[in-house]
Amino acid sequence: MPAAPGPVLPDLKRPARGKPGPRLVTVVASRRITPNMIRLTLTGPELADVRPKCEGANCKIFLPGAGQGRDDFARQLKDGPRPVVRTYTVRHWRPDVQELDVDFVDHGLEGPASAFANRARPGDFCGFAGPGPVKLSEFYADWYLVAADMSALPVAAAALEAMPRDARGVAVFEVTCAEDRQQIDAPEGIEQHWLVHPHPHRPSPAQEGMIRALDWPEGRVQTCVAGESGVIKALRGYLHQERGLARGDAYVSGYWKIGLVEDQHQQEKRRESA
Ligand SMILES: Cc1cc2nc3c(=O)[nH]c(=O)nc-3n(C[C@H](O)[C@H](O)[C@H](O)COP(=O)(O)OP(=O)(O)OC[C@H]3O[C@@H](n4cnc5c(N)ncnc54)[C@H](O)[C@@H]3O)c2cc1C
């Protein structure tokens, strides 16, 4: 006999409020997609709840210590202390096979995340938290400005791929060598410029110079602008103060800063926005 309907209980399957904790993921593939960019493909059953279409959202990568075993790292992710964490971008998410690509700039072995990407081999592991919100998900502009250095290529590429196919605008990329240029499925009306700056640890005025020289269009403008903080600070000033770009139409974000490790850079950003 079917059970009589019971009282309405709270939906216990609904995820708890707040962010899910870091998940343990396994590296299934590591390949150099251009001379200075390493793509790690991550997978794991704990990714099952990652939502579709999260390309371009930021995420946190938790890094195991040198020689740390998988079980010990899994315990640390759960109980602390917090491992070294760095911020990255979901480049591709394939929910059908639960594979997620993250593109790491190879800027040497000094940074723990860049070093991890350099050394990672299939079977290695790390932690993954996120994804956060997609940076540019509504497209309503008459003209788009996209600007990115290598660290922001993943967010820029995801935004360009998601844009309406009749979008118009300009994308100004800055990469470490000519071979770091990537094929991006951008709308035909987005004019792409690829600048080369072989010394990313030295300031580069080239992107700002090119953007200032553009004929500023009539109509509504949206931006996806990210990269080294010094460049971004100059562009933020230009876009908001000189061009009057509305804050709500602009994604303009410093992704790293010459001479600072990520935690110092994040602290500086918090101080500046306080
Ligand atoms: C929202 C967001 C999304 C991001 N997405 C990506 C992404 O998808 N891919 C990506 O590669 N980066 C991305 N970044 C940037 C990344 O978080 C930083 O580059 C981070 O500092 C790398 O950590 P690390 O451990 O390698 O170096 P750290 O330990 O943080 O720094 C060590 C040294 O390396 C320098 N350094 C850091 N980054 C670079 C760089 N790109 N080029 C040259 N020198 C550098 C620092 O100034 C410092 O001197 C993103 C940042 C943010 C805020």
Side-chain angles (χ1 to χ4, degrees):
M1 193 204 278
V8 178
L9 295 171
D11 181 1
L12 296 179
K13 284 191 196 138
R14 205 164 45 207
R17 275 177 168 272
K19 299 175 189 167
R23 305 134 168 128
L24 182 67
V25 292
T26 302
V27 176
V28 276
S30 153
R31 70 188 176 98
R32 206 168 269 277
I33 55 170
T34 68
N36 295 290
M37 189 74 101
I38 300 167
R39 175 165 296 164
L40 298 189
T41 300
L42 308 173
T43 194
E46 292 185 44
L47 294 178
D49 64 344
V50 171
R51 64 177 193 276
K53 299 197 187 304
C54 59
E55 286 82 2
N58 66 322
C59 59
K60 298 285 179 188
I61 301 292
F62 294 68
L63 301 163
Q68 188 171 18
R70 188 182 177 100
D71 290 345
D72 188 52
F73 183 63
R75 221 176 355 259
Q76 187 182 354
L77 276 185
K78 202 160 147 280
D79 302 332
R82 196 179 92 137
V84 173
V85 185
R86 295 289 186 258
T87 309
Y88 279 83
T89 303
V90 175
R91 181 63 186 94
H92 301 116
W93 166 231
R94 295 178 289 281
D96 51 333
V97 287
Q98 285 182 19
E99 283 182 1
L100 196 137
D101 293 334
V102 179
D103 290 354
F104 293 71
V105 177
D106 177 5
H107 60 93
L109 300 178
E110 182 199 355
S114 175
F116 175 77
N118 259 282
R119 296 184 179 123
R121 296 292 170 264
D124 288 351
F125 50 86
C126 61
F128 171 91
V134 170
K135 303 298 178 191
L136 209 65
S137 56
E138 288 180 45
F139 300 96
Y140 47 78
D142 301 303
W143 193 85
Y144 294 88
L145 174 66
V146 174
D149 71 359
M150 289 202 56
S151 72
L153 266 181
V155 72
L160 288 163
E161 286 166 5
M163 267 179 201
R165 294 296 90 184
D166 60 354
R168 290 170 44 252
V170 171
V172 183
F173 300 108
E174 189 165 80
V175 291
T176 310
C177 68
E179 295 73 28
D180 282 316
R181 180 179 176 148
Q182 295 186 13
Q183 286 298 330
I184 297 174
D185 181 19
E188 269 180 26
I190 304 284
E191 194 183 295
Q192 294 186 38
H193 299 272
W194 290 81
L195 305 171
V196 174
H197 177 51
H199 306 291
H201 51 281
R202 290 192 209 144
S204 164
Q207 274 183 304
E208 186 196 346
M210 179 168 267
I211 290 168
R212 281 182 175 274
L214 292 173
D215 287 333
W216 199 253
E218 296 291 324
R220 195 137 181 203
V221 175
Q222 272 182 288
T223 70
C224 178
V225 170
E228 198 281 320
S229 254
V231 174
I232 297 305
K233 199 171 179 178
L235 285 176
R236 187 179 286 121
Y238 172 66
L239 293 170
H240 292 308
Q241 280 137 38
E242 295 183 45
R243 288 293 173 190
L245 186 71
R247 302 257 162 200
D249 293 340
Y251 178 65
V252 183
S253 184
Y255 272 18
W256 64 284
K257 185 164 181 180
I258 293 172
L260 297 186
V261 304
E262 181 174 323
D263 306 273
Q264 296 167 324
H265 177 226
Q266 297 291 352
Q267 275 172 19
E268 186 180 279
K269 285 205 314 188
R270 278 194 291 274
R271 264 198 314 273
E272 284 176 0
S273 66

